[in-house]
Amino acid sequence: MSMTFSGQVALVTGGAAGIGRATALAFAAEGLRVVVSDVDATGGEGTVELIRSAGGEATFIRCDVTRDAEVKALMDGVVAAYGRLDYAFNNAGIEIEKGKLAEGSEAEFDAIMGVNVKGVWLCMKHEIPLLLAQGGGAIVNTASVAGLGAAPKMSIYAASKHAVIGLTKSAAIEYAKKKVRVNAVCPAVIDTDMFRRAYEADPKKAEFAAAMHPVGRVGKVEEIAAAVLYLCSDGASFTTGHSLAVDGGATAI
Ligand code: NAD
Protein backbone atom coordinates (compact mmCIF):
# COMPACT_ATOMS: atom_id res chain seq x y z
CA MET A 1 0.00 0.00 0.00
CA SER A 2 1.32 3.43 -0.86
CA MET A 3 -0.51 6.65 -0.04
CA THR A 4 0.23 10.34 -0.20
CA PHE A 5 0.51 12.33 3.02
CA SER A 6 1.03 16.07 3.18
CA GLY A 7 1.92 15.84 6.90
CA GLN A 8 4.81 14.23 8.65
CA VAL A 9 3.87 13.37 12.23
CA ALA A 10 1.26 10.92 13.52
CA LEU A 11 0.09 10.16 17.06
CA VAL A 12 -1.45 6.78 17.96
CA THR A 13 -3.10 6.17 21.34
CA GLY A 14 -3.52 2.59 22.49
CA GLY A 15 -0.36 2.02 20.47
CA ALA A 16 1.10 -0.72 22.68
CA ALA A 17 -0.89 -3.54 21.11
CA GLY A 18 -3.43 -4.72 18.57
CA ILE A 19 -4.93 -2.23 16.15
CA GLY A 20 -2.90 0.69 17.55
CA ARG A 21 0.44 -1.10 17.17
CA ALA A 22 -0.36 -2.18 13.59
CA THR A 23 -1.40 1.37 12.67
CA ALA A 24 1.72 2.90 14.23
CA LEU A 25 3.83 0.48 12.18
CA ALA A 26 1.86 1.34 9.02
CA PHE A 27 2.31 5.12 9.52
CA ALA A 28 6.05 4.60 10.06
CA ALA A 29 6.29 2.41 6.94
CA GLU A 30 4.90 5.39 4.97
CA GLY A 31 7.79 7.53 6.28
CA LEU A 32 5.90 9.40 9.00
CA ARG A 33 7.42 10.06 12.42
CA VAL A 34 5.16 8.41 14.98
CA VAL A 35 4.39 9.13 18.63
CA VAL A 36 3.17 5.92 20.22
CA SER A 37 1.15 6.43 23.40
CA ASP A 38 -0.45 4.03 25.86
CA VAL A 39 -0.77 3.30 29.60
CA ASP A 40 1.28 0.16 28.91
CA ALA A 41 4.86 1.43 28.72
CA THR A 42 6.38 -2.00 28.01
CA GLY A 43 4.09 -2.62 25.05
CA GLY A 44 4.45 0.97 23.82
CA GLU A 45 8.26 0.80 23.93
CA GLY A 46 7.94 -2.54 22.11
CA THR A 47 6.05 -0.86 19.27
CA VAL A 48 8.72 1.85 19.06
CA GLU A 49 11.41 -0.85 18.93
CA LEU A 50 9.60 -2.61 16.07
CA ILE A 51 9.36 0.69 14.14
CA ARG A 52 13.04 1.51 14.71
CA SER A 53 14.23 -1.95 13.72
CA ALA A 54 12.30 -1.53 10.45
CA GLY A 55 14.20 1.75 9.85
CA GLY A 56 11.43 4.12 10.99
CA GLU A 57 11.32 6.94 13.54
CA ALA A 58 9.15 6.80 16.66
CA THR A 59 8.92 7.92 20.28
CA PHE A 60 6.88 6.53 23.17
CA ILE A 61 5.03 8.84 25.55
CA ARG A 62 3.04 7.24 28.37
CA CYS A 63 -0.46 8.68 28.86
CA ASP A 64 -3.70 7.63 30.49
CA VAL A 65 -6.27 9.14 28.12
CA THR A 66 -8.80 9.54 30.94
CA ARG A 67 -6.62 12.23 32.59
CA ASP A 68 -6.83 15.76 31.23
CA ALA A 69 -3.40 16.78 32.51
CA GLU A 70 -1.76 13.66 31.04
CA VAL A 71 -3.39 14.20 27.64
CA LYS A 72 -2.25 17.85 27.62
CA ALA A 73 1.26 16.68 28.59
CA LEU A 74 1.13 14.12 25.74
CA MET A 75 0.45 16.87 23.19
CA ASP A 76 3.26 18.99 24.68
CA GLY A 77 5.47 15.91 24.33
CA VAL A 78 4.50 15.45 20.65
CA VAL A 79 5.48 19.06 19.92
CA ALA A 80 8.70 18.74 21.94
CA ALA A 81 9.65 15.56 20.04
CA TYR A 82 8.73 16.47 16.48
CA GLY A 83 7.57 20.11 16.44
CA ARG A 84 4.11 19.43 15.02
CA LEU A 85 1.11 17.07 14.80
CA ASP A 86 -0.55 16.19 11.49
CA TYR A 87 -2.55 13.01 12.15
CA ALA A 88 -4.05 11.59 15.33
CA PHE A 89 -5.47 8.10 15.72
CA ASN A 90 -7.49 8.11 18.95
CA ASN A 91 -7.71 4.38 19.45
CA ALA A 92 -7.25 3.53 23.15
CA GLY A 93 -10.30 1.59 24.29
CA ILE A 94 -11.50 -1.11 26.66
CA GLU A 95 -14.29 -3.68 26.94
CA ILE A 96 -14.93 -5.48 30.24
CA GLU A 97 -18.64 -6.39 30.33
CA LYS A 98 -19.75 -10.00 30.57
CA GLY A 99 -23.52 -9.83 30.86
CA LYS A 100 -26.81 -8.23 29.93
CA LEU A 101 -27.57 -4.59 30.73
CA ALA A 102 -29.22 -5.23 34.13
CA GLU A 103 -26.16 -7.20 35.26
CA GLY A 104 -23.71 -4.35 34.65
CA SER A 105 -22.06 -2.34 37.43
CA GLU A 106 -21.51 1.36 37.95
CA ALA A 107 -17.76 0.70 38.02
CA GLU A 108 -17.93 -0.96 34.56
CA PHE A 109 -19.97 1.94 33.20
CA ASP A 110 -17.53 4.56 34.52
CA ALA A 111 -14.46 2.64 33.34
CA ILE A 112 -15.73 2.02 29.79
CA MET A 113 -17.11 5.54 29.33
CA GLY A 114 -13.94 6.98 30.87
CA VAL A 115 -11.53 5.44 28.36
CA ASN A 116 -13.74 5.13 25.26
CA VAL A 117 -15.64 8.43 25.41
CA LYS A 118 -13.86 10.85 27.76
CA GLY A 119 -10.51 9.64 26.41
CA VAL A 120 -11.44 10.37 22.79
CA TRP A 121 -12.97 13.72 23.78
CA LEU A 122 -9.89 14.78 25.77
CA CYS A 123 -7.54 13.73 22.96
CA MET A 124 -9.49 15.71 20.35
CA LYS A 125 -9.77 18.70 22.74
CA HIS A 126 -5.97 18.91 22.95
CA GLU A 127 -5.16 17.81 19.38
CA ILE A 128 -7.41 20.24 17.53
CA PRO A 129 -5.59 23.43 18.67
CA LEU A 130 -2.31 21.93 17.36
CA LEU A 131 -3.90 21.06 14.01
CA LEU A 132 -5.53 24.50 13.72
CA ALA A 133 -2.28 26.28 14.55
CA GLN A 134 -0.55 24.70 11.56
CA GLY A 135 -3.47 25.02 9.12
CA GLY A 136 -5.08 21.57 9.22
CA GLY A 137 -4.72 17.85 9.70
CA ALA A 138 -6.77 14.71 10.19
CA ILE A 139 -8.13 12.78 13.15
CA VAL A 140 -9.43 9.21 13.12
CA ASN A 141 -11.27 7.87 16.18
CA THR A 142 -11.76 4.15 16.78
CA ALA A 143 -15.46 3.43 17.11
CA SER A 144 -16.78 -0.06 16.28
CA VAL A 145 -19.64 -1.78 14.49
CA ALA A 146 -21.00 -1.63 18.06
CA GLY A 147 -21.27 2.12 17.41
CA LEU A 148 -23.55 1.51 14.43
CA GLY A 149 -26.00 -0.99 15.91
CA ALA A 150 -26.83 -3.20 18.87
CA ALA A 151 -24.21 -5.22 20.74
CA PRO A 152 -25.97 -7.68 23.06
CA LYS A 153 -24.15 -8.20 26.39
CA MET A 154 -21.95 -5.24 25.52
CA SER A 155 -24.49 -2.46 26.01
CA ILE A 156 -22.18 -0.01 27.78
CA TYR A 157 -19.50 -0.61 25.16
CA ALA A 158 -22.09 -0.06 22.39
CA ALA A 159 -23.20 3.19 24.03
CA SER A 160 -19.58 4.32 24.31
CA LYS A 161 -18.90 3.65 20.63
CA HIS A 162 -22.14 5.41 19.54
CA ALA A 163 -20.82 8.35 21.56
CA VAL A 164 -17.49 8.23 19.72
CA ILE A 165 -19.40 8.59 16.45
CA GLY A 166 -21.34 11.54 17.90
CA LEU A 167 -18.11 13.25 18.93
CA THR A 168 -16.60 12.50 15.51
CA LYS A 169 -19.49 13.93 13.49
CA SER A 170 -19.82 17.05 15.67
CA ALA A 171 -16.11 17.86 15.60
CA ALA A 172 -16.02 17.23 11.83
CA ILE A 173 -18.71 19.86 11.26
CA GLU A 174 -17.23 22.35 13.74
CA TYR A 175 -13.81 22.31 12.06
CA ALA A 176 -14.71 21.46 8.45
CA LYS A 177 -13.79 24.92 7.12
CA LYS A 178 -10.49 24.89 9.05
CA LYS A 179 -9.07 21.93 7.08
CA VAL A 180 -9.30 19.59 10.06
CA ARG A 181 -10.97 16.35 8.96
CA VAL A 182 -12.42 14.04 11.60
CA ASN A 183 -13.56 10.50 10.80
CA ALA A 184 -14.17 7.23 12.64
CA VAL A 185 -13.22 3.68 11.81
CA CYS A 186 -15.69 0.96 12.81
CA PRO A 187 -14.07 -2.47 13.05
CA ALA A 188 -16.09 -5.65 13.48
CA VAL A 189 -14.30 -8.46 15.32
CA ILE A 190 -10.54 -8.14 14.84
CA ASP A 191 -7.96 -10.66 15.99
CA THR A 192 -6.34 -8.78 18.91
CA ASP A 193 -5.87 -9.35 22.65
CA MET A 194 -9.29 -7.74 23.18
CA PHE A 195 -10.83 -10.31 20.83
CA ARG A 196 -8.95 -13.21 22.44
CA ARG A 197 -10.07 -12.14 25.93
CA ALA A 198 -13.70 -11.98 24.76
CA TYR A 199 -13.94 -14.99 22.43
CA GLU A 200 -11.01 -17.32 22.32
CA ALA A 201 -11.52 -19.01 25.69
CA ASP A 202 -14.71 -20.56 24.30
CA PRO A 203 -14.29 -22.29 20.88
CA LYS A 204 -18.05 -21.93 20.21
CA LYS A 205 -17.77 -18.16 20.66
CA ALA A 206 -14.76 -18.04 18.32
CA GLU A 207 -16.71 -19.93 15.64
CA PHE A 208 -19.66 -17.58 16.17
CA ALA A 209 -17.34 -14.58 15.81
CA ALA A 210 -16.04 -15.81 12.45
CA ALA A 211 -19.57 -16.57 11.23
CA MET A 212 -20.76 -13.03 12.08
CA HIS A 213 -18.83 -11.81 9.06
CA PRO A 214 -20.07 -12.72 5.56
CA VAL A 215 -16.42 -13.19 4.52
CA GLY A 216 -16.28 -16.08 7.03
CA ARG A 217 -13.45 -14.90 9.26
CA VAL A 218 -12.52 -12.23 11.79
CA GLY A 219 -10.47 -9.25 10.63
CA LYS A 220 -6.73 -8.58 10.81
CA VAL A 221 -5.19 -5.55 12.52
CA GLU A 222 -3.50 -4.58 9.25
CA GLU A 223 -6.93 -4.28 7.62
CA ILE A 224 -7.92 -1.61 10.16
CA ALA A 225 -4.55 0.14 9.84
CA ALA A 226 -5.07 0.40 6.06
CA ALA A 227 -8.45 2.11 6.59
CA VAL A 228 -6.99 4.56 9.12
CA LEU A 229 -4.15 5.49 6.78
CA TYR A 230 -6.61 6.02 3.94
CA LEU A 231 -8.76 8.34 6.10
CA CYS A 232 -5.66 10.38 7.01
CA SER A 233 -4.24 10.44 3.48
CA ASP A 234 -4.70 13.14 0.86
CA GLY A 235 -6.89 10.63 -1.01
CA ALA A 236 -9.58 11.22 1.62
CA SER A 237 -9.44 15.03 1.32
CA PHE A 238 -13.23 15.26 0.73
CA THR A 239 -14.14 12.80 3.49
CA THR A 240 -15.05 14.11 6.94
CA GLY A 241 -17.61 13.14 9.59
CA HIS A 242 -17.69 9.63 8.13
CA SER A 243 -17.84 6.36 10.07
CA LEU A 244 -16.14 3.70 7.96
CA ALA A 245 -17.19 0.13 8.70
CA VAL A 246 -14.32 -2.30 8.16
CA ASP A 247 -16.25 -5.42 8.94
CA GLY A 248 -16.11 -8.20 6.34
CA GLY A 249 -19.64 -7.29 5.33
CA ALA A 250 -21.12 -7.65 8.84
CA THR A 251 -23.19 -4.47 8.75
CA ALA A 252 -24.44 -5.15 5.20
CA ILE A 253 -26.59 -8.06 6.37
P1 NAD B 1 -6.08 -4.03 22.74
O1 NAD B 1 -6.59 -4.35 24.11
O2 NAD B 1 -5.16 -4.98 22.06
O3 NAD B 1 -5.42 -2.56 22.71
C1 NAD B 1 -5.99 -1.47 23.39
C2 NAD B 1 -4.87 -0.61 23.94
O4 NAD B 1 -5.45 0.51 24.64
C3 NAD B 1 -4.00 -1.38 24.94
O5 NAD B 1 -2.64 -1.28 24.57
C4 NAD B 1 -4.28 -0.68 26.25
O6 NAD B 1 -3.17 -0.65 27.14
C5 NAD B 1 -4.67 0.72 25.79
N1 NAD B 1 -5.43 1.45 26.80
C6 NAD B 1 -6.43 0.98 27.58
N2 NAD B 1 -6.83 1.92 28.45
C7 NAD B 1 -6.07 3.03 28.21
C8 NAD B 1 -5.99 4.33 28.78
N3 NAD B 1 -6.79 4.69 29.81
N4 NAD B 1 -5.10 5.22 28.27
C9 NAD B 1 -4.28 4.85 27.25
N5 NAD B 1 -4.28 3.62 26.68
C10 NAD B 1 -5.17 2.72 27.16
O7 NAD B 1 -7.39 -3.81 21.87
P2 NAD B 1 -7.65 -3.56 20.31
O8 NAD B 1 -8.55 -4.66 19.90
O9 NAD B 1 -6.41 -3.26 19.56
O10 NAD B 1 -8.54 -2.25 20.47
C11 NAD B 1 -8.20 -0.99 19.93
C12 NAD B 1 -9.46 -0.21 19.71
O11 NAD B 1 -10.28 -0.92 18.75
C13 NAD B 1 -10.35 -0.04 20.95
O12 NAD B 1 -10.90 1.27 20.96
C14 NAD B 1 -11.44 -1.07 20.74
O13 NAD B 1 -12.64 -0.71 21.42
C15 NAD B 1 -11.60 -1.03 19.25
N6 NAD B 1 -12.23 -2.20 18.63
C16 NAD B 1 -11.68 -3.44 18.72
C17 NAD B 1 -12.31 -4.51 18.11
C18 NAD B 1 -11.74 -5.91 18.18
O14 NAD B 1 -12.46 -6.85 17.81
N7 NAD B 1 -10.51 -6.12 18.61
C19 NAD B 1 -13.50 -4.31 17.40
C20 NAD B 1 -14.02 -3.02 17.31
C21 NAD B 1 -13.38 -1.96 17.93
Side-chain angles (χ1 to χ4, degrees):
M1 179 179 58
S2 183
M3 295 188 189
T4 315
F5 294 93
S6 39
Q8 308 148 19
V9 179
L11 165 66
V12 177
T13 72
I19 292 167
R21 171 174 280 183
T23 307
L25 286 162
F27 273 128
E30 292 293 328
L32 277 83
R33 290 171 285 167
V34 183
V35 176
V36 176
S37 185
D38 205 291
V39 277
D40 172 4
T42 308
E45 295 286 8
T47 302
V48 166
E49 211 33 62
L50 287 170
I51 290 173
R52 288 186 184 151
S53 53
E57 194 175 338
T59 303
F60 174 72
I61 301 176
R62 192 191 174 283
C63 170
D64 178 344
V65 295
T66 67
R67 304 276 175 194
D68 189 13
E70 291 190 28
V71 177
K72 175 73 177 74
L74 167 62
M75 302 311 155
D76 292 345
V78 171
V79 173
Y82 296 131
R84 58 187 293 125
L85 176 67
D86 300 290
Y87 310 112
F89 181 36
N90 299 321
N91 164 74
I94 58 167
E95 165 50 21
I96 48 180
E97 298 157 273
K98 292 191 174 56
K100 292 185 183 175
L101 188 142
E103 292 150 16
S105 70
E106 187 179 7
E108 282 176 338
F109 186 93
D110 289 345
I112 294 169
M113 289 295 174
V115 180
N116 297 6
V117 184
K118 185 182 175 192
V120 167
W121 173 70
L122 279 176
C123 286
M124 287 207 287
K125 175 179 162 62
H126 292 296
E127 287 155 358
I128 286 169
L130 297 182
L131 301 179
L132 290 175
Q134 69 199 33
I139 293 173
V140 178
N141 298 318
T142 304
S144 167
V145 293
L148 299 169
K153 296 195 178 172
M154 297 169 76
S155 59
I156 306 168
Y157 183 77
S160 77
K161 295 301 188 177
H162 277 73
V164 169
I165 291 175
L167 288 170
T168 300
K169 288 180 174 173
S170 303
I173 302 308
E174 287 173 4
Y175 298 100
K177 289 204 169 56
K178 299 285 183 186
K179 296 196 168 87
V180 174
R181 295 184 299 103
V182 188
N183 292 291
V185 67
C186 300
V189 180
I190 307 301
D191 186 3
T192 65
D193 289 348
M194 184 182 281
F195 159 71
R196 286 181 209 126
R197 281 191 298 269
Y199 293 93
E200 218 178 36
D202 179 347
K204 272 200 196 136
K205 270 191 174 179
E207 266 173 45
F208 172 74
M212 270 167 55
H213 309 83
V215 297
R217 63 171 176 85
V218 300
K220 300 176 194 158
V221 288
E222 293 80 9
E223 291 170 322
I224 304 306
V228 176
L229 262 67
Y230 163 67
L231 289 170
C232 289
S233 75
D234 296 346
S237 53
F238 201 49
T239 302
T240 196
H242 183 60
S243 300
L244 178 61
V246 184
D247 66 351
T251 54
I253 299 171

